[in-house]
């Protein structure tokens, strides 16, 4: 069974072919990082336009690399949401037309469900139950997963995503976009600034997180101290380390509470921020101490990609080719769960 997966929810135009929900035959990515870099964040209008410009080529490359003809495909899967509506619509419109034209079923896939499904591509044997944590530029969501087909949202950010907190913090420190890898690198430069950045405490039993207070706190600190990114370049590494530590503390604290509460056997960590070295080593330690298996896919499967959407399709109901053009709902920018 060969599934074409298409992902256009944010700033990556991605397509992949996955065989039997397990084997990646191709995974093609066109990243728009350079286009949005000069604006310091994703510009939705530009993202949609760029997806439109390259989607046919990205799909063609995915089919060529997999050595698959459109008529060999068993289905086409596309991200339905959450994401930027204009960006989602490009992938969805393409996938609808493709399914109709090739007479193959269409699958609408939840973006975060796709992130979690991608983990099975590299870890076929997962010990359930598990906590799934998706940490990216657009999302910070905790899921309880009783098995591969069920994921229940149990906590999330109430404001900025963790990646956004990294990106905005980096910008204030004069580091380029995307800021996460920059902060990660700078933080290894030596020392931790003695600044008491706030760690958001959830109310009651909530597993929600928040990063906007942290971001504001960095801004006030820099304003108060008259920080200048050029003159005070030597202050950047210790400040980056302190800021990063605050983000990591919050994520690790909430993940540990969630995993304890649900008595899980595994922790699945994915999304662009999963690349963060401090987060990785702290998660590693906690999971080892508590006997939880920590599963983190390789970078290409952590960030947005088409293979995760193809993998997610195997958990969803098909829309027949004749119904494909009417698939309802179409793009759902705030799609809530799987
Ligand atoms: O999953 P992703 O590629 O795209 C979406 O947001 O959908 O995640 C990108 C985010 C950006 O905010 C980027 O700064 C962050 O992941 N990121 C990192 C690291 N690498 C990427 N954040 C912290 N440390 C990193 N090493
Ligand atoms: Zn994503």
């Amino acid at each position: 069974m060969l599934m074409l997966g298409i992902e256009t929810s944010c700033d990556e135009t991605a397509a992949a072919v996955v065989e039997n929900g397990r084997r990646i035959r191709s995974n093609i990515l066109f990243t728009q990082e350079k286009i949005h870099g000069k604006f310091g964040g994703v510009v939705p209008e530009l993202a949609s336009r760029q997806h439109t410009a390259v989607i046919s080529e990205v799909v063609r490359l995915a089919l060529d690399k997999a050595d698959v003809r459109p008529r060999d495909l068993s289905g086409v899967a596309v991200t339905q949401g959450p994401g930027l509506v204009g960006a989602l619509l490009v992938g969805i419109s393409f996938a609808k037309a493709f399914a109709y034209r090739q007479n193959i079923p269409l699958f609408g896939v939840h973006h975060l469900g796709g992130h979690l499904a991608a983990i099975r591509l590299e870890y076929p044997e997962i010990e359930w139950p598990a906590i799934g944590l998706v940490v990216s530029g657009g999302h910070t969501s905790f899921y309880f997963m009783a098995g591969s087909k069920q994921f229940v949202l149990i906590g999330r950010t109430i404001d900025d995503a963790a990646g956004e907190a990294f990106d905005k913090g980096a910008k204030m420190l004069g580091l380029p976009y995307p800021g996460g890898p920059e902060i990660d690198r700078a933080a290894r430069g030596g020392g931790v600034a003695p600044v008491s950045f706030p760690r958001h405490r959830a109310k009651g039993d909530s597993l929600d997180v928040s990063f906007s207070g942290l971001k504001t706190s960095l801004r006030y600190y820099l304003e108060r101290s008259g920080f200048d990114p050029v003159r005070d370049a030597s202050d950047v590494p210790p400040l980056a380390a302190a800021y990063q530590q605050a983000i990591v503390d919050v994520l690790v604290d909430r993940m540990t509470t969630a995993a304890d509460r649900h008595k899980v056997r595994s922790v699945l960590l994915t999304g662009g921020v999963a690349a963060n070295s401090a987060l990785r080593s702290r998660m590693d330690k906690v999971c080892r101490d508590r006997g939880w298996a920590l599963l983190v896919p390789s970078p290409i499967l952590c960030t947005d990609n088409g293979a995760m959407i193809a993998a997610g399709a195997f958990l969803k109901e098909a829309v027949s080719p004749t119904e494909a053009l009417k698939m309802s709902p179409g793009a759902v920018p705030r799609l809530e769960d799987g």
Side-chain angles (χ1 to χ4, degrees):
M1 194 179 186
L2 293 166
M3 184 72 68
L4 172 66
I6 296 175
E7 152 65 36
T8 64
S9 68
C10 190
D11 60 342
E12 322 275 1
T13 318
V17 176
V18 170
E19 192 174 337
N20 298 327
R22 296 282 171 174
R23 185 169 158 242
I24 301 174
R25 293 272 296 258
S26 66
N27 201 7
I28 304 292
L29 196 72
F30 181 91
T31 176
Q32 305 179 3
E33 219 165 69
K34 284 214 171 73
I35 295 166
H36 303 287
K38 51 181 174 288
F39 301 99
V42 178
V43 183
E45 165 85 16
L46 293 181
S48 312
R49 284 175 187 273
Q50 195 57 34
H51 287 311
T52 309
V54 304
I55 189 157
S56 307
E57 188 60 11
V58 169
V59 168
R60 195 185 62 76
L61 283 171
L63 293 173
D64 281 359
K65 178 98 189 294
D67 198 17
V68 161
R69 291 161 302 183
R71 66 169 178 276
D72 301 330
L73 291 166
S74 333
V76 51
V78 66
T79 309
Q80 236 181 328
L84 302 168
V85 68
L88 287 166
L89 280 169
V90 177
I92 292 172
S93 305
F94 187 96
K96 280 178 169 179
F98 192 93
Y100 183 74
R101 169 72 178 83
Q102 300 301 332
N103 200 29
I104 52 176
L106 176 66
F107 298 81
V109 176
H110 188 280
H111 181 79
L112 296 156
H115 271 297
L116 296 171
I119 295 171
R120 294 184 321 137
L121 293 167
E122 286 182 339
Y123 298 95
E125 306 296 335
I126 298 175
E127 292 185 63
W128 307 105
I131 291 296
L133 170 52
V134 186
V135 262
S136 70
H139 308 281
T140 298
S141 301
F142 296 84
Y143 288 95
F144 171 66
M145 303 175 75
S148 63
K149 294 195 181 203
Q150 299 136 291
F151 59 104
V152 178
L153 185 69
I154 54 171
R156 66 162 133 192
T157 178
I158 54 171
D159 40 57
D160 293 348
E164 212 175 337
F166 272 110
D167 295 339
K168 290 177 177 168
K171 196 171 175 187
M172 289 186 247
L173 292 170
L175 298 169
Y177 175 86
E182 297 290 334
I183 292 211
D184 196 348
R185 207 170 305 126
R188 278 177 260 147
V192 181
V195 186
S196 58
F197 287 125
R199 272 76 167 156
H200 174 258
R201 293 253 160 263
K203 291 202 177 70
D205 281 348
S206 168
L207 290 165
D208 287 347
V209 298
S210 157
F211 295 109
S212 76
L214 168 65
K215 184 185 65 187
T216 310
S217 164
L218 175 64
R219 200 179 68 234
Y220 286 165
Y221 176 83
L222 296 176
E223 278 171 13
R224 261 198 325 271
S225 57
F227 173 81
D228 178 281
V230 177
R231 190 194 59 213
D232 305 322
S234 62
D235 292 343
V236 172
L239 279 171
Y243 186 76
Q244 172 173 272
Q245 212 167 63
I247 298 175
V248 171
D249 278 353
V250 169
L251 294 174
V252 173
D253 173 80
R254 235 42 61 84
M255 183 283 289
T256 311
T257 307
D260 274 338
R261 189 177 296 168
H262 290 276
K263 300 187 173 35
V264 302
R265 299 173 72 191
S266 308
V267 173
L268 319 184
L269 174 65
T270 187
V273 179
N276 185 265
S277 58
L279 179 63
R280 288 286 277 270
S281 65
R282 287 278 303 284
M283 285 284 199
D284 214 47
K285 179 160 185 343
V286 174
C287 289
R288 227 170 325 111
D289 288 351
R290 310 248 175 167
W292 303 321
L294 176 65
L295 314 183
V296 191
S298 35
I300 174 78
L301 289 180
C302 273
T303 56
D304 292 350
N305 65 87
M308 73 185 211
I309 301 306
F314 290 87
L315 313 173
K316 305 290 288 184
E317 292 223 339
V319 177
S320 73
T322 45
E323 293 294 307
L325 291 177
K326 296 186 280 192
M327 181 178 75
S328 171
V332 190
R334 294 185 184 279
L335 191 60
E336 286 289 336
D337 53 34

